[in-house]
Amino acid sequence: MRHLLAVILLLTPVLAFPQTAVIEAFGDSLTAGLLNYTNVTRQNELTTVSEILSDLAMFKLTKDRDYLKKHEHGAIAWPQLLANHLKTPEVSFEVRNYGISGAKSEVLYDEVTHATPVSTDTQTIAFFFIGHNDLCHNQGSEEELSADYGENVNRALEVWDRTHKGAKAFLVSVAEVHRIYPLLDGQSWFSGEKGRYRCNESWDKLFPYCPAFYKKFKQGKLDEHLAPRVDAVNRKLEELSIEWRNRSTRNQYFHIQMAPGADFRKQYFAVDCYHLSHDGQAFVAEQIFNAIGWQ
């Protein structure tokens, strides 16, 4: 019943015969589904991890995204899982996932401009879930981070608004990345004759996406550094959703936050102790599904 209610709220007027609606998903590696086929709570094979590390190194050297795409499984990424939640006998959903692993907010413009056009008579809902790489790589103050991020997202929304009509856009809050480190501190993802490997080694040496975060965690300073930056980005998303709600005469805009008290669990994370496992992708899909039912 709640699935049908969500569709009724999302798609107006209600369609009386089977139709296909479009879900557009713009974002970074969490949306692309990087490494979502692995899970930090399982006994991972060293051969699998070795292949992942080799492909990540080759991507860094060549910039050939085929090395990353081997490890992005869209069928179990949150946009497709959300579509599975929303599907009814009356409405199915075509997922167009434009997420790019490693993308910062400045890349959002390119994702939107290169997206496949959607006809104005096609029911469309779009999700924008980006900013995690900005948190790491933008070294400015909270105010500078928020301003740069807002400018980048706004630039992408200007294009998206012009090329859509009667659609709904959902700006999804960035995750509280600082909560990952105390949760997975000491977590082992392999233990055997060849050694024992933990998230600590992943953060420091094997998958050093943002070594500064781990350094601050060991110093006991991560929360005071990162939590205000996460809040600044998410406040900017709220401001943008309100601005575009008042500004646009073509489409509707909403801000989505994760439910208060929604806890991360160890099984939500991939072997690199940073990206989302299948379980984590399902968690995000469920959170978004519950949130959009109220819009």
Side-chain angles (χ1 to χ4, degrees):
M1 181 61 184
R2 65 174 183 152
H3 293 193
L4 181 57
L5 175 60
V7 172
I8 290 172
L9 290 168
L10 283 169
L11 306 177
T12 53
V14 179
L15 304 173
F17 50 91
Q19 291 287 331
T20 299
V22 169
I23 289 178
E24 296 178 316
F26 304 98
D28 52 33
S29 51
L30 298 187
T31 295
L34 184 66
L35 302 184
N36 57 1
Y37 62 95
T38 70
N39 193 306
V40 71
T41 63
R42 297 176 189 154
Q43 177 76 348
N44 296 275
E45 295 295 331
L46 291 182
T47 53
T48 300
V49 177
S50 177
E51 180 182 358
I52 293 169
L53 291 171
S54 175
D55 286 336
L56 290 178
M58 287 301 296
F59 166 69
K60 189 172 182 179
L61 287 172
T62 66
K63 306 305 179 186
D64 183 349
R65 288 199 166 271
D66 284 343
Y67 287 106
L68 291 184
K69 290 178 180 178
K70 291 168 57 178
H71 304 287
E72 297 172 343
H73 291 199
I76 55 173
W78 69 261
Q80 184 59 58
L81 300 179
L82 176 63
N84 297 344
H85 273 304
L86 291 171
K87 182 179 179 180
T88 73
E90 293 77 25
V91 184
S92 62
F93 290 84
E94 175 192 343
V95 174
R96 300 181 182 181
N97 190 335
Y98 300 109
I100 297 176
S101 292
K104 299 189 287 289
S105 60
E106 63 194 43
V107 178
L108 199 58
Y109 176 84
D110 291 333
E111 292 186 20
V112 172
T113 54
H114 289 96
T116 303
V118 181
S119 64
T120 55
D121 60 352
T122 299
Q123 297 283 352
T124 304
I125 51 176
F127 298 89
F128 299 83
F129 188 31
I130 199 166
H132 306 93
N133 295 306
D134 295 68
L135 292 171
C136 175
H137 299 293
N138 188 316
Q139 300 300 314
S141 65
E142 293 165 27
E143 293 76 17
E144 290 170 327
L145 168 64
S146 177
D148 290 345
Y149 177 81
E151 181 178 340
N152 292 333
V153 175
N154 188 65
R155 184 167 174 250
L157 291 178
E158 286 176 343
V159 176
W160 185 87
D161 193 70
R162 287 199 305 269
T163 55
H164 292 73
K165 189 171 183 179
K168 295 190 177 188
F170 294 90
L171 312 185
V172 184
S173 285
V174 298
E176 296 177 314
V177 179
H178 50 287
R179 293 173 55 196
I180 297 174
Y181 291 82
L183 175 71
L184 296 180
D185 184 28
Q187 174 65 35
S188 172
W189 51 261
F190 178 85
S191 183
E193 293 181 358
K194 296 183 178 181
R196 179 171 177 259
Y197 297 94
R198 305 169 302 158
C199 288
N200 306 68
E201 286 74 50
S202 294
W203 294 324
D204 190 35
K205 298 175 183 177
L206 298 177
F207 300 95
Y209 302 120
C210 197
F213 285 177
Y214 183 51
K215 181 178 180 180
K216 287 185 180 297
F217 172 69
K218 290 191 294 184
Q219 295 171 342
K221 298 179 179 180
L222 183 60
D223 278 9
E224 66 184 66
H225 167 75
L226 193 51
R229 298 173 74 80
V230 170
D231 289 343
V233 167
N234 289 338
R235 284 197 305 271
K236 180 57 67 174
L237 287 174
E238 177 65 16
E239 292 172 10
L240 286 170
S241 69
I242 294 172
E243 176 185 338
W244 276 98
R245 201 175 304 151
N246 295 327
R247 176 178 173 183
S248 178
T249 59
R250 298 173 61 86
N251 304 290
Q252 295 176 279
Y253 293 82
F254 306 92
H255 177 212
I256 290 180
Q257 302 182 66
M258 297 301 172
D263 289 329
F264 289 163
R265 299 179 182 176
K266 292 181 178 181
Q267 64 265 31
Y268 290 171
F269 295 95
V271 70
D272 63 350
C273 309
Y274 194 86
H275 289 95
L276 296 173
S277 67
H278 182 198
D279 291 338
Q281 294 280 344
F283 169 75
V284 170
E286 183 73 19
Q287 290 286 307
I288 293 176
F289 175 81
N290 291 333
I292 64 179
W294 294 100
Q295 310 297 341

